Amino acid sequence: MFDIAREEIEWGGRPLIIETGKVARQADGAVLVSYGETTVLATAVAERAPKPGLDFFPLTVNYQEKTYAAGKIPGGFFKREGRPSEKETLVSRLIDRPIRPLFHPAFKNETQVIATVVSHDMENDPDIVAMIATSAALTLSGIPFMGPIGAARVGYINGEYALNPMIDEMVESQLDLVVAGTGDAVMMVESEAKELSEDVMLGAVMFGHEQFQPVIDMIIRLAEKAAKEPRPIEEIDNSDLEAKVKAIAEADLRAAYAIADKGERQNKVAEAKDKVVAELVGEDDGPEVATKVSGAFKKLEKNIVRGSIIETGKRIDGRDLETVRPIVSETHILPRSHGSALFTRGETQALVVTTLGTGEDEQFIDALEGTYKENFLLHYNFPPYSVGETGRVGFTGRREVGHGKLAWRALRAVLPERDAFPYTIRIVSEITESNGSSSMATVCGASLSMMDAGVPLKRPVAGIAMGLIKEENGVAVLSDILGDEDHLGDMDFKVAGTSEGVTSLQMDIKITGITKEIMDTALSQAKGGRLHILNEMSKALTEARPELGAHAPRIEVIKIPQDKIREVIGTGGKVVREIVEKTGAKVDIGDDGTIKVASSSQEAIEAALAWIKGITAEPEVGMIYKGKVVKVVDFGAFVNFFGPRDGLVHISQLKQEKVGAVSDVLKEGDEVFVKLMGFDDRGKVRLSMKVVDQETGKLIEGMEDASDDGGERRGRGRRNKADAD
């Protein structure tokens, strides 16, 4: 019934198995890939014919984690998986980026890849498994995919590279780098690092590329057994059309791309395109003709821009290859925010705002590996007005999630330790203008914004986007690329870091000829650009402000014995709620006895801390306390003197002279000063008023040891008799 093909290798100390022919047989390509006991099912399906009028490749990649893979039931009312999580979105992008450039350029059929995590062993991250599974499914499918690709995770532990570290090993790693590519070239890099050098980062990329070669070989062996016949591709010769478009528009396009201003340049390019369409697309022509004309126009654009850069060393806006656009950094521009910055680089601008919160504001992440709390949040918004367009607002797209996560990774290495700075940090980056690398502008603006809020970063972080033009007659590496240079170029290479090293690196390649030497040049050039940007940022701020923003909450931390936590919380949370309601401070109680008290008012914090200390601290013998009479009895009065603690002031300890009746001296509600004399043989508290000046609260001279043990013993005898009765 099943025609199963299977390949297995030992890879990074665990078995990697690829199997096809048993599951999802109606898909064009389907594989089950297992690494350890983590298993991913990947399928690839492409329509048989392209949709008319498409001038792009309609590829969709969906990565999905099923909770049953980890033996869990989803939370929520419906008890089933809902919209994609942040990780699912990020891994979908991670898979898409290295495979998209490898489809035949003439293939425009709608294509969908679905990678489903069906088993997770809590040791091996499914993202690498999903990338390998996707590569294998596409290679077997007959879809014109010029792969296969391999992928690997690289760690850096104790000064050595590690292949596919397990999840718990990543805690010790200074690097989390994912690299993917073909047998000949690297296609994609995504990483987070702890201020590592450019040489270490480049070495990690090359290490990963070398280590995934056996994976590519096993996919090829599987394809030799089970691959479907390649689909025929009809390549249409558009040389005549391209010549016509060139004759009509070349001069106009060259003039347009000599204009530095983005808006004016785009208007001139649009006019040139309208001219071409008017001459070459008739009223009776279908969408296919318009699509071909549009494609020929784009090709002419690409050739003009790329050729000019290679030949002249000058770019669209007149810069040379290494110059960074003018930078203006401003901080504290929003008076009510905790921290704010406006970072402008050329025609790219980010308004970045930092908000400080308490433990209550931490985000709960429900992952396959378990639920955990995150206290550093970064949200990136890309409104349509930033590029002079209209569009939908309010929907967070994959691009926004991905760009925000890149900035998040770049900044995490310089955050203060949680014990030293117990705040939840939320950053929001509003991209108000965009013409090249708004994610790197977010990194710069977020660094300034956090320092403006008083977050003690280890060092400021800056980011820069690099580009590449590679032609037969030359290679050009571009610093601080424009949007058009990104669109028409061969590489998008983003590097973020401090003056000490790299904290994040992301690379996407559109061609298959990137060498180690080119990457080395790009990293070296990026370092110079990054240091220049850091210097420009320093004109606004060089380090965190010494005080938190005026409107930021203050947090103070105390540690109490774990056996006292119940007393602070109270039955059903009654006590802690009362503290919050009456003082106005927020109180966050950790399982280890760490208590964080937060408020914008120092008085509220002090009141809450005093309350908590009153509950958890133990009274000290010999100390004087101010208390309140809570009950009057024949033999004395009970005084609440220390949090919830009450003690007895025996009638003999009320005054220095003899007292006939307690009610002659005290009534309930009176405030008095008492000295803690000690504890009786039953552990009961013994208090004295007569040794304390009730006006000043100070000990009366000569009364340090005054007591009336006989009177107390007689009183205790009456109490014992009452208890017996």
Side-chain angles (χ1 to χ4, degrees):
M1 182 175 182
F2 301 118
D3 184 13
I4 299 173
R6 189 175 188 271
E7 287 291 327
E8 178 176 350
I9 62 171
E10 191 76 11
W11 190 48
R14 281 94 78 196
L16 176 68
I17 302 168
I18 305 180
E19 182 181 285
T20 188
K22 188 173 183 178
V23 179
R25 292 172 294 162
Q26 295 184 50
D28 291 328
V31 296
L32 274 172
V33 177
S34 297
Y35 192 45
E37 293 183 349
T38 293
T39 303
V40 174
L41 168 65
T43 60
V45 177
E47 296 290 348
R48 292 296 156 183
K51 288 184 178 179
L54 282 183
D55 62 349
F56 64 93
F57 174 43
L59 171 67
T60 303
V61 176
N62 297 104
Y63 167 85
Q64 50 192 21
E65 295 181 337
K66 300 298 184 180
T67 57
Y68 60 71
K72 296 170 62 178
I73 294 174
F77 184 80
F78 294 103
K79 296 297 177 186
R80 69 175 297 159
E81 291 82 1
R83 66 178 185 176
S85 66
E86 182 182 80
K87 182 181 179 182
E88 288 172 315
T89 298
L90 293 169
V91 177
S92 295
R93 285 172 52 87
L94 199 67
I95 296 169
D96 185 301
R97 286 157 47 198
I99 65 173
R100 185 175 289 271
L102 295 177
F103 289 88
H104 194 286
F107 187 68
K108 295 292 189 288
N109 300 23
E110 187 170 354
T111 303
Q112 184 178 43
V113 170
I114 300 176
T116 306
V117 181
V118 293
S119 177
H120 188 10
D121 60 9
M122 305 299 175
E123 294 181 340
N124 298 288
D125 198 311
D127 55 1
I128 298 297
V129 186
M131 296 176 77
I132 293 169
T134 296
S135 172
L138 286 168
T139 303
L140 300 179
S141 68
I143 297 169
F145 172 68
M146 295 178 286
I149 66 164
R153 171 170 272 104
V154 180
Y156 192 63
I157 302 172
N158 298 325
E160 295 185 356
Y161 296 121
L163 174 63
N164 298 331
M166 293 187 181
I167 291 172
D168 58 352
E169 293 174 328
M170 289 303 299
V171 177
E172 306 299 324
S173 181
Q174 292 181 279
L175 174 68
D176 182 0
L177 181 143
V178 174
V179 56
T182 63
D184 301 320
V186 172
M187 301 298 297
M188 186 277 300
V189 177
E190 183 81 43
S191 67
E192 178 183 343
K194 295 181 179 178
E195 296 184 285
L196 297 178
S197 70
E198 281 74 10
D199 288 343
V200 171
M201 297 299 291
L202 180 58
V205 173
M206 303 317 297
F207 174 83
H209 183 255
E210 177 187 352
Q211 293 297 316
F212 65 58
Q213 296 306 311
V215 177
I216 292 176
D217 293 339
M218 76 181 296
I219 294 174
I220 292 172
R221 291 196 301 271
L222 186 70
E224 290 171 349
K225 301 176 187 177
K228 295 179 179 178
E229 288 297 317
R231 295 193 189 185
I233 293 292
E234 182 182 356
E235 295 195 57
I236 301 172
D237 183 6
N238 287 328
S239 56
D240 289 344
L241 177 61
E242 290 169 3
K244 292 178 183 178
V245 170
K246 184 176 181 180
I248 297 168
E250 181 176 18
D252 292 339
L253 277 178
R254 289 192 182 278
Y257 278 105
I259 300 171
D261 181 74
K262 177 186 175 183
E264 187 179 349
R265 180 173 65 249
Q266 287 182 335
N267 289 336
K268 291 297 183 183
V269 170
E271 289 175 11
K273 185 173 183 179
D274 291 342
K275 182 178 177 181
V276 169
V277 171
E279 292 196 32
L280 298 180
V281 181
E283 292 183 4
D284 297 330
D285 290 327
E288 294 86 354
V289 174
T291 298
K292 289 179 181 179
V293 170
S294 178
F297 185 83
K298 285 182 180 178
K299 186 173 182 180
L300 177 62
E301 268 190 284
K302 187 173 183 178
N303 291 339
I304 288 173
V305 172
R306 294 165 63 89
S308 175
I309 291 173
I310 292 291
E311 292 167 12
T312 68
K314 294 293 182 182
R315 296 156 64 179
I316 295 171
D317 57 359
R319 286 181 292 151
D320 62 24
L321 303 184
E322 298 188 25
T323 299
V324 176
R325 288 170 290 174
I327 291 171
V328 178
S329 300
E330 303 170 73
T331 59
H332 202 62
I333 62 171
L334 301 178
R336 294 292 298 185
S337 66
H338 300 164
S340 58
L342 185 68
F343 180 84
T344 308
R345 186 192 60 240
E347 295 173 303
T348 296
Q349 186 181 76
L351 172 63
V352 189
V353 183
T354 296
T355 305
L356 302 179
T358 66
E360 291 182 358
D361 301 306
E362 292 179 334
Q363 182 179 15
F364 280 86
I365 309 292
D366 189 14
L368 282 185
E369 297 83 8
T371 300
Y372 63 94
K373 293 195 290 187
E374 179 58 64
N375 73 329
F376 177 49
L377 315 174
L378 193 151
H379 299 139
Y380 165 101
N381 298 316
F382 192 87
Y385 65 76
S386 65
V387 288
E389 297 176 357
T390 60
R392 182 176 177 181
V393 175
F395 173 73
T396 304
R398 285 186 173 189
R399 181 181 181 278
E400 289 180 300
V401 173
H403 280 48
K405 194 66 173 183
L406 173 59
W408 181 89
R409 289 190 178 107
L411 294 159
R412 201 159 68 127
V414 300
L415 295 177
E417 297 296 329
R418 188 177 297 197
D419 291 344
F421 193 76
Y423 290 83
T424 296
I425 304 170
R426 185 194 183 216
I427 297 170
V428 178
S429 174
E430 306 284 0
I431 303 304
T432 50
E433 296 179 31
S434 181
N435 185 15
S437 194
S438 54
S439 62
M440 294 297 95
T442 294
V443 170
C444 301
S447 182
L448 290 168
S449 176
M450 282 194 285
M451 291 192 295
D452 184 51
V455 180
L457 300 183
K458 296 172 185 175
R459 274 168 289 278
V461 181
I464 187 170
M466 310 296 294
L468 175 72
I469 305 293
K470 187 174 185 292
E471 297 286 355
E472 292 181 0
N473 60 334
V475 174
V477 176
L478 316 178
S479 294
D480 182 24
I481 56 175
L482 302 173
D484 287 335
E485 291 169 341
D486 182 9
H487 175 64
L488 300 172
D490 298 319
M491 176 178 75
D492 182 12
F493 191 97
K494 298 184 176 76
V495 187
T498 68
S499 57
E500 300 299 311
V502 175
T503 58
S504 184
L505 185 155
Q506 184 187 85
M507 180 174 70
D508 293 311
I509 306 299
K510 303 172 189 176
I511 58 176
T512 57
I514 300 298
T515 63
K516 179 182 178 182
E517 290 70 29
I518 291 175
M519 283 190 284
D520 193 14
T521 299
L523 277 168
S524 176
Q525 200 166 308
K527 181 178 181 180
R530 184 175 82 245
L531 294 177
H532 167 74
I533 295 169
L534 284 168
N535 184 60
E536 292 297 304
M537 290 166 56
S538 70
K539 295 175 182 178
L541 271 180
T542 57
E543 59 184 15
R545 298 193 189 279
E547 298 290 336
L548 297 182
H551 304 290
R554 270 59 178 169
I555 297 179
E556 293 196 22
V557 181
I558 60 171
K559 190 79 175 281
I560 66 170
Q562 288 180 276
D563 59 1
K564 296 287 186 179
I565 294 175
R566 182 179 299 178
E567 296 179 28
V568 177
I569 295 174
T571 305
K574 178 182 178 181
V575 175
V576 72
R577 282 199 304 271
E578 186 179 5
I579 295 172
V580 171
E581 289 171 5
K582 292 192 175 180
T583 66
K586 289 185 177 181
V587 178
D588 180 57
I589 305 173
D591 294 337
D592 64 346
T594 299
I595 298 182
K596 299 174 186 176
V597 180
S599 174
S600 55
S601 165
Q602 189 61 34
E603 291 182 1
I605 291 176
E606 290 174 358
L609 286 175
W611 195 323
I612 293 167
K613 289 175 181 176
I615 295 172
T616 59
E618 295 294 336
E620 295 181 36
V621 174
M623 294 294 293
I624 294 173
Y625 299 95
K626 186 175 184 179
K628 180 181 288 188
V629 177
V630 293
K631 187 176 182 181
V632 175
V633 292
D634 292 343
F635 49 83
F638 288 96
V639 175
N640 174 231
F641 72 102
F642 192 87
R645 299 292 294 268
D646 295 344
L648 175 68
V649 181
H650 187 263
I651 190 170
S652 64
Q653 295 293 317
L654 292 176
K655 287 192 171 187
Q656 294 186 30
E657 61 271 19
K658 187 174 181 180
V659 174
V662 177
S663 57
D664 294 340
V665 179
L666 295 174
K667 63 181 181 297
E668 289 184 14
D670 285 349
E671 291 189 346
V672 295
F673 290 104
V674 293
K675 177 183 176 182
L676 176 57
M677 306 299 291
F679 304 90
D680 67 15
D681 52 11
R682 298 175 64 190
K684 301 295 184 181
V685 176
R686 294 190 295 112
L687 302 175
S688 174
M689 286 174 54
K690 74 179 185 180
V691 300
V692 183
D693 186 327
Q694 294 300 311
E695 294 291 331
T696 65
K698 295 185 180 296
L699 187 69
I700 297 173
E701 189 174 348
M703 298 295 293
E704 289 84 354
D705 298 318
S707 65
D708 184 353
D709 292 337
E712 284 208 48
R713 282 196 296 272
R714 289 191 298 274
R716 190 160 63 242
R718 288 195 294 270
R719 290 200 302 276
N720 291 342
K721 184 176 185 300
D723 291 342
D725 293 342

